[in-house]
Amino acid sequence: SQQGEEDPQALSIQEGENATMNCSYKTSINNLQWYRQNSGRGLVHLILIRSNEREKHSGRLRVTLDTSKKSSSLLITASRAADTASYFCGPFRGGADGLTFGKGTHLIIQP
Amino acid sequence: DAGVTQSPTHLIKTRGQQVTLRCSPKSGHDTVSWYQQALGQGPQFIFQYYEEEERQRGNFPDRFSGHQFPNYSSELNVNALLLGDSALYLCASSFMGTSGGIHGQYFGPGTRLTVT
């Protein structure tokens, strides 16, 4: 399986600012998925970007993928208090491959 | 459209006991994966079930076993519980079919297991 490593480990910004977090992985993938986790709860699927895509948008979320650098970024624009959560990336090779996550980026939005 | 459901929500067991956790996949999904998330860590892949067989396994001992039923629901069994098994156990479902599971994994709310 592919281990995604999220960076930074923690990020604190003011409400209304943009938040950017990064993900690196090790080998070739079919797609990469970003998830949000509020404290002690399940992972919410945010966005999936395929290996032949470079950028994808969903509401206030923008994800980029650079397969040559084996990296991805998640941008949250106009942050809100409700965006406070941990964010994980899951590189996926395909088939029966499991997702193996890093420790995530813990995002805190200050009012 | 029902999402992934898990039961129970919380569970407290004693060292040495056995536990069974349950998962129902999202409607239209045929594959279930199980993950363990310790406090402050990311989820770690335990195994995946498709067509009622274990297809892939992470670095977990044989004390962790599972089952998938004909309706695609799944169980995770852990024998001889250790204190270190205390964690949030997450189930994720996906559609394998002819697509190889490339449309994403969707997680349930998890079961919080505490071993005392």
Side-chain angles (χ1 to χ4, degrees):
Chain A
S1 56
Q2 314 273 309
Q3 182 165 27
E5 290 289 348
E6 300 87 358
D7 178 75
Q9 288 191 16
L11 178 62
S12 180
I13 61 174
Q14 297 294 123
E15 194 167 19
E17 294 180 336
N18 296 341
T20 299
M21 53 206 84
N22 303 296
C23 168
S24 59
Y25 57 92
K26 295 178 180 175
T27 59
S28 62
I29 59 172
N30 177 280
N31 65 58
L32 187 142
Q33 300 165 54
W34 282 92
Y35 295 87
R36 183 186 74 233
Q37 184 178 40
N38 293 92
S39 182
R41 306 176 80 95
L43 272 67
V44 174
H45 191 273
L46 294 176
I47 199 164
L48 180 153
I49 186 166
R50 306 194 187 287
S51 60
N52 61 353
E53 296 175 312
R54 291 297 167 259
E55 187 171 312
K56 200 163 183 179
H57 297 252
S58 177
R60 295 183 296 112
L61 306 181
R62 182 175 80 105
V63 167
T64 62
L65 179 64
D66 187 336
T67 54
S68 67
K69 295 181 179 178
K70 295 185 174 56
S71 66
S72 175
S73 67
L74 170 66
L75 168 67
I76 303 174
T77 60
S79 62
R80 305 168 181 170
D83 294 329
T84 293
S86 292
Y87 291 81
F88 295 91
C89 68
F92 182 67
R93 188 165 51 188
D97 199 35
L99 300 173
T100 305
F101 302 92
K103 293 185 178 181
T105 291
H106 184 47
L107 175 65
I108 298 173
I109 309 299
Q110 298 181 354
Chain B
D1 180 20
V4 181
T5 60
Q6 292 186 243
S7 63
T9 304
H10 293 90
L11 201 54
I12 300 174
K13 305 289 280 187
T14 303
R15 271 182 304 175
Q17 288 187 318
Q18 178 264 344
V19 68
T20 297
L21 310 181
R22 295 176 177 82
C23 172
S24 290
K26 180 178 168 70
S27 177
H29 286 182
D30 57 8
T31 302
V32 173
S33 302
W34 286 93
Y35 294 81
Q36 179 196 65
Q37 186 177 23
L39 200 61
Q41 304 294 317
Q44 298 300 304
F45 175 68
I46 302 175
F47 43 53
Q48 182 185 91
Y49 275 84
Y50 171 62
E51 292 186 326
E52 301 180 45
E53 291 187 7
E54 183 182 300
R55 298 291 177 164
Q56 183 97 318
R57 189 179 185 95
N59 188 25
F60 280 81
D62 291 345
R63 298 187 297 108
F64 290 77
S65 63
H67 189 78
Q68 185 180 35
F69 300 93
N71 67 353
Y72 308 120
S73 67
S74 176
E75 288 182 349
L76 164 66
N77 301 292
V78 186
N79 294 322
L81 284 167
L82 305 173
L83 294 179
D85 294 332
S86 294
L88 181 67
Y89 287 84
L90 296 162
C91 160
S93 75
S94 55
F95 175 67
M96 186 68 72
T98 56
S99 67
I102 63 173
H103 299 295
Q105 292 192 18
Y106 292 81
F107 285 77
T111 293
R112 172 72 62 186
L113 172 65
T114 301
V115 182
T116 63

